[in-house]
Amino acid sequence: MFFYILDLTKMDFIESESLYPHDIALLIDNEEKTVFFYSGVKSKERERKIGIELASKIINKFKMYKFVILEDVVPLKVQAQIDEIMIGDEIIVKVERTLPMQISIYFGIGSLILSLLIPILGFSLFGWNKPEIILYSISASQFTSYFNRLILISWIGFGINFAQLISNIWSKKIYLVVCSVASTIITLGLVLYINQRVLLFEFQPGSIESNLYLIRRLEIILFWIWILLGSIGAFVSSLISVLTIFKQSEIVEKEKIDVEEIRLKSRPTILQDKPPVELKEIEHPE
């Protein structure tokens, strides 16, 4: 992908190997025959309009290329290229943290908590009776109660992740959507896996008839490992989403408008804080 920066002095785009937050640029992808118009977060609207007009004239000469103006949603491939050449990796240009981003943070924190709670709750199965070294035993009612709690928590986790996905779609940030899609799919997989209940284990002969389930220790360990791995996957995806919002955005406080101050500033300095002059008709002496 090639980068061309707008040079206002030459009224043309010149090739460059770096980008600044205030730059207006064209990103040319020869493989897909596409020209992307990029405007940095610190670019000026006037320069942006000039760039679009100039770029449109250039593109019209090359009918085979498609012209795409990058807005809030930037393709991952293009964003990766921009990140590679953006000057000052240590300097993070933060955008305003919008309402959907803030909502996503709340759901993300909820997802993190549930992702920790699921394996902790699941670990309680190691407290079941051990009549033999290689076997665990539990009554049918305890088995049902255990899975009911675990499935309920898993469904709540899925609901929170799905809500976070909706918030991230609302924010129009592709990288946030990708993270929440991953965590939502993982938690849904956990729900479907845990919901199999008795089908997950190969009970010892006579277990079902006696209402005392005998399960091999290896199967118990494998079951918990799958829960743990799924929870880690959901936890990491949600954590990346939350950290990304904190890292790349900030809350912008809206300044209060003082109408009186604006009124005073709009008057000449020598008239500020002076009472208005009362105009009177000048009387001519007779």
Side-chain angles (χ1 to χ4, degrees), residues 16-49:
S16 176
E17 295 182 355
S18 59
L19 271 179
Y20 288 90
H22 60 267
D23 279 335
I24 303 292
L26 295 180
L27 288 65
I28 302 177
D29 189 340
N30 287 325
E31 293 180 1
E32 297 185 4
K33 301 297 181 183
T34 304
V35 177
F36 298 97
F37 181 85
Y38 166 83
S39 53
V41 293
K42 292 189 176 181
S43 61
K44 298 178 180 179
E45 183 63 26
R46 183 185 67 85
E47 296 176 356
R48 187 174 186 273
K49 291 180 179 179

Side-chain angles (χ1 to χ4, degrees), residues 245-261:
I245 295 175
F246 276 117
K247 183 179 179 181
Q248 299 188 6
S249 69
E250 60 184 354
I251 298 175
V252 178
E253 295 184 1
K254 294 183 180 179
E255 298 181 358
K256 294 183 179 179
I257 300 175
D258 191 332
V259 178
E260 182 63 22
E261 183 180 351

Side-chain angles (χ1 to χ4, degrees), residues 132-150:
E132 297 182 19
I133 296 178
I134 62 172
L135 291 178
Y136 279 91
S137 68
I138 185 173
S139 67
S141 59
Q142 289 177 318
F143 184 90
T144 301
S145 176
Y146 169 83
F147 273 89
N148 284 344
R149 291 196 303 271
L150 199 58

Side-chain angles (χ1 to χ4, degrees), residues 145-180:
S145 176
Y146 169 83
F147 273 89
N148 284 344
R149 291 196 303 271
L150 199 58
I151 291 172
L152 176 61
I153 297 298
S154 300
W155 271 117
I156 294 174
F158 168 74
I160 290 176
N161 280 284
F162 185 76
Q164 186 186 27
L165 172 60
I166 299 300
S167 300
N168 288 339
I169 292 174
W170 183 15
S171 73
K172 299 179 181 179
K173 301 298 181 183
I174 292 180
Y175 52 88
L176 296 180
V177 174
V178 171
C179 290
S180 55

Side-chain angles (χ1 to χ4, degrees), residues 54-111:
L54 185 59
S56 299
K57 293 179 181 179
I58 296 174
I59 299 302
N60 287 335
K61 298 179 182 179
F62 303 93
K63 303 293 184 181
M64 66 182 70
Y65 280 80
K66 181 172 65 174
F67 186 46
V68 177
I69 299 177
L70 298 175
E71 300 289 352
D72 293 332
V73 179
V74 180
L76 289 175
K77 176 182 177 181
V78 178
Q79 186 64 57
Q81 292 287 328
I82 293 174
D83 292 341
E84 281 187 11
I85 68 169
M86 180 63 72
I87 291 297
D89 291 337
E90 71 283 355
I91 302 176
I92 300 172
V93 181
K94 295 188 175 183
V95 299
E96 179 181 356
R97 187 174 302 163
T98 60
L99 176 61
M101 287 184 182
Q102 191 63 44
I103 294 174
S104 177
I105 290 175
Y106 296 142
F107 284 124
I109 294 174
S111 175

